[in-house]
């Protein structure tokens, strides 16, 4: 049996038991939590993760991205000190991964690993700003168009009056 890949195929970093926990998707492909979080933050479909290798979709667990199943095969290759996987909170709106609580069983890790990790700005927020901009723009067009519309209707009415007047004069002259 071949040993599993012990590094993430996206970022090539070694899997670990904190932010680079190996998470297995429904298609059986494994990536680190950080990469999945980065993908999810930029995704327009926050409820699902699309595998970058085979394009298959994995719905996210109700309790969030960190609750995706760990790859137990990869975990079994970790040294004993790394067998405990940290509880991570994923705050998509802020684009942050955060260690929920540091267990007393592995206190050494807090000195080497930051307890929060930025994973980028959410796509949803950027999209929201874009939509607002669009709304402002269309409002501007409406405001600009209103006087033009009025002017158009006024000139149409004026032309009608002129045409009617000419017609009446022509009829009278006959
Ligand atoms: Zn990765
Ligand atoms: Zn896949």
């Amino acid at each position: 049996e071949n040993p599993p890949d012990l590094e993430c195929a996206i970022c090539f970093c070694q899997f670990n038991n904190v932010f680079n926990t190996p998470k297995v998707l429904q298609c059986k492909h494994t990536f680190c939590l950080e990469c999945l979080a980065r993908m999810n933050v930029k995704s327009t479909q926050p409820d699902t993760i699309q595998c970058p290798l085979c394009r298959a979709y994995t719905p996210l667990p109700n309790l969030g991205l960190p609750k995706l199943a760990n790859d137990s095969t990869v975990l079994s290759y970790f040294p004993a000190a790394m067998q405990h996987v940290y509880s991570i909170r994923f705050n998509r709106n802020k684009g942050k991964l955060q260690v929920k609580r540091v267990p007393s069983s592995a206190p050494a890790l807090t000195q080497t690993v930051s307890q929060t990790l930025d994973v980028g700005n959410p796509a949803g927020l950027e999209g929201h700003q874009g939509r607002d901009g669009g709304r402002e723009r269309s409002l501007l067009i409406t405001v600009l168009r209103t006087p033009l519309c009025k002017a158009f209707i006024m000139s149409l009415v004026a032309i009608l009056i002129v045409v009617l007047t000419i017609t009446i004069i022509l009829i009278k002259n006959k």
Side-chain angles (χ1 to χ4, degrees):
E1 198 179 298
N2 290 330
D5 219 340
L6 295 180
E7 49 185 50
C8 170
I10 302 174
C11 64
F12 301 111
C13 68
Q14 290 250 317
F15 287 123
N16 64 26
N17 58 338
V18 194
F19 299 122
N20 299 107
T21 304
K23 293 289 180 185
V24 60
L25 301 179
Q26 278 180 2
C27 55
K28 303 295 176 200
H29 287 127
T30 298
F31 305 98
C32 76
L33 175 63
E34 179 186 342
C35 282
L36 295 178
R38 285 183 190 280
M39 280 164 49
N40 184 253
V41 158
K42 293 289 174 205
S43 174
T44 49
Q45 294 165 286
D47 299 333
T48 173
I49 281 276
Q50 189 178 22
C51 175
L53 287 184
C54 70
R55 304 275 144 204
Y57 287 97
T58 298
L60 288 194
N62 289 335
L63 292 172
L65 186 71
K67 293 290 175 196
L68 277 170
N70 296 325
D71 189 326
S72 53
T73 316
V74 174
L75 286 183
S76 69
Y77 280 78
F78 282 0
M82 280 170 68
Q83 286 298 322
H84 176 94
V85 172
Y86 280 73
S87 286
I88 308 286
R89 181 186 290 118
F90 174 45
N91 188 332
R92 188 176 184 271
N93 292 334
K94 289 184 181 166
K96 277 193 198 308
L97 284 173
Q98 199 167 10
V99 175
K100 257 195 213 167
R101 55 184 174 272
V102 181
S104 52
S105 56
L109 204 124
T110 54
Q111 289 150 20
T112 51
V113 175
S114 160
Q115 292 195 28
T116 57
L117 182 77
D118 284 321
V119 290
N121 295 315
L125 285 183
E126 282 163 24
H128 188 67
Q129 280 162 10
R131 276 198 298 277
D132 276 349
R135 205 176 298 138
E136 267 168 41
R137 232 170 291 135
S138 63
L139 204 78
L140 203 71
I141 289 166
T142 316
V143 170
L144 276 174
R145 268 186 187 168
T146 312
L148 285 176
C149 268
K150 273 184 191 163
F152 180 72
I153 291 165
M154 298 266 277
S155 47
L156 208 72
V157 169
I159 290 166
L160 265 173
I161 290 167
V162 170
V163 168
L164 274 173
T165 316
I166 292 169
T167 316
I168 289 164
I169 291 167
L170 283 176
I171 289 168
K172 272 190 181 172
N173 284 354
K174 272 182 185 174

